[in-house]
Amino acid sequence: MIVRIWEAHVAPEHADEFCATLTAEALPQIVRTEGCLGGELLNAVGEEDHRILMITRWRDEAALLAHAGPMWRIRPVWAEGQLNFLEHPPKVAHYLPLSEQ
C-alpha cells in the first residue's frame, strides 16, 4: 500500500467553497478509482492556517500510475478551475506505512 498526501494552501476567502467541492466531488471520484483503497480530507487547525490535506491509500504503484500518470511521484492531480481557489499549486508526497492497522 502507498499513502499519497496531496496538500493545498487555500486562499482564505475560498476555503469553505473549496472544501465543500473536495468533499462532494473530488474525494468521492478518487475513491471510486480502481486501486484506491480509501481516503480522507483534513483541514488544518487554526484560523491562520488554510492548508487542506487529501490523504488517499493506493494498492500499488500501478494504481497510482493509472490515476496520476507517469509522473505520479511528483505531479499533483487537480481539477480544472481548482487553482482559482489556491494560493499556489498543490504539492504531493508518498509514504509507505510502517504498520498496518
Side-chain angles (χ1 to χ4, degrees), residues 75-88:
R75 181 184 169 264
V77 176
W78 62 82
E80 188 70 33
Q82 281 184 342
L83 288 179
N84 296 331
F85 294 97
L86 305 179
E87 293 183 331
H88 52 77

Side-chain angles (χ1 to χ4, degrees), residues 45-56:
V45 176
E47 291 183 25
E48 300 302 317
D49 193 348
H50 302 285
R51 286 178 297 149
I52 304 296
L53 299 179
M54 182 183 307
I55 300 173
T56 51

Side-chain angles (χ1 to χ4, degrees), residues 2-79:
I2 300 171
V3 176
R4 180 177 173 97
I5 300 178
W6 180 95
E7 178 181 327
H9 288 258
V10 183
E13 64 274 15
H14 298 301
D16 291 340
E17 183 181 358
F18 185 70
C19 289
T21 299
L22 289 180
T23 301
E25 298 171 19
L27 186 59
Q29 180 181 356
I30 290 170
V31 298
R32 287 191 302 268
T33 302
E34 175 65 30
C36 183
L37 305 174
E40 61 189 308
L41 293 169
L42 302 174
N43 192 359
V45 176
E47 291 183 25
E48 300 302 317
D49 193 348
H50 302 285
R51 286 178 297 149
I52 304 296
L53 299 179
M54 182 183 307
I55 300 173
T56 51
R57 294 171 300 285
W58 296 86
R59 181 184 59 228
D60 53 25
E61 287 187 28
L64 276 165
L65 176 66
H67 168 67
M71 296 183 64
W72 66 267
R73 285 181 177 85
I74 60 171
R75 181 184 169 264
V77 176
W78 62 82

